Amino acid sequence: GAGVSQSPSNKVTEKGKDVELRCDPISGHTALYWYRQSLGQGLEFLIYFQGNSAPDKSGLPSDRFSAERTGGSVSTLTIQRTQQEDSAVYLCASSLGSGQGAKNIQYFGAGTRLSVL
Amino acid sequence: RKEVEQDPGPFNVPEGATVAFNCTYSNSASQSFFWYRQDCRKEPKLLMSVYSSGNEDGRFTAQLNRASQYISLLIRDSKLSDSATYLCVAASSTGNQFYFGTGTSLTVIP
């Protein structure tokens, strides 16, 4: 079956512009995560959606970052007024559910490589 | 203190060697642990899950030591294709959040 799909795969933008990154999770997965990975660094948690519950936004680095998940499926991560330090790979992951056990295994998309000039 | 800490390496080993990575976690309430593999400029992919004391899958063995709060990954008979970064992951006590280590880099040399 199809895995997690992210678009665009690459995005180059100018400082100050807004960007939108899209994530299509695996069909039937209720949990969706966004991470950021800078060059040579680990994954930085940004935001988590689980079903119809309020999202966990505790990882968003500033109010320029926001995310939505419509209809419990597709998610969009928006970065307003981009800065050079926003340059990174933005990874989306989905899991069957949450809690302990195999259902919380996260499957990743290929990511969006964002470059802010 | 970071939730998960790993030795970044790099580990450079010859083909056929056995190599082990250790990872420590800070939250004693974590129940689920994972090893992910990440190739250069690719997304992380699940290598192994560790829910109890350990797990074995072919050349790969993961062990969990709850008393000392560490997880290990052992790779036997290393192959060139094992070259990658290995990410240690601890799930939160609710299982809702994954805490990733910064990864350990492995290069297997011919």
Side-chain angles (χ1 to χ4, degrees), chain A residues 3-103:
Chain A
V4 177
S5 177
Q6 290 188 246
S7 61
S9 55
N10 286 283
K11 176 71 177 178
V12 180
T13 191
E14 294 179 350
K15 178 182 173 180
K17 301 278 189 178
D18 298 351
V19 295
E20 283 190 355
L21 313 180
R22 177 187 168 104
C23 173
D24 264 294
I26 293 172
S27 177
H29 280 197
T30 62
L32 186 148
Y33 307 78
W34 282 99
Y35 295 89
R36 177 168 72 174
Q37 188 173 33
S38 300
L39 188 63
Q41 301 297 311
L43 274 70
E44 175 188 2
F45 166 77
L46 297 177
I47 189 169
Y48 157 65
F49 297 89
Q50 171 58 56
N52 295 321
S53 302
D56 177 353
K57 304 180 182 180
S58 59
L60 294 179
S62 78
D63 59 8
R64 296 187 296 104
F65 288 73
S66 62
E68 290 184 341
R69 189 179 185 193
T70 54
S73 182
V74 172
S75 177
T76 302
L77 177 69
T78 301
I79 309 174
Q80 295 179 309
R81 305 181 302 282
T82 52
Q83 303 295 312
Q84 288 184 331
E85 60 263 29
D86 299 335
S87 297
V89 176
Y90 290 80
L91 290 160
C92 175
S94 70
S95 65
L96 195 59
S98 62
Q100 302 300 335
K103 61 182 177 180

Side-chain angles (χ1 to χ4, degrees), chain B residues 31-49:
Chain B
Q31 297 290 322
S32 304
F33 306 90
F34 307 89
W35 283 99
Y36 277 73
R37 170 194 169 127
Q38 186 172 26
D39 292 283
C40 187
R41 300 176 74 87
K42 299 286 189 180
E43 73 274 23
K45 292 186 178 178
L46 179 69
L47 178 65
M48 297 185 76
S49 306

Side-chain angles (χ1 to χ4, degrees), chain B residues 6 14-16 18 20-21 23-24 27 30-31 37 53 56 59 62 64 68 70 76-78 88 94 96 99 109:
Chain B
Q6 295 181 248
E15 268 187 292
T18 294
F21 309 136
C23 161
T24 58
N27 186 351
S30 292
Q31 297 290 322
R37 170 194 169 127
S53 61
E56 183 172 334
R59 298 183 294 108
L64 169 63
S68 302
Y70 79 79
R76 290 180 296 276
D77 188 24
S78 300
C88 175
T94 58
N96 291 345
Y99 300 105
I109 304 165

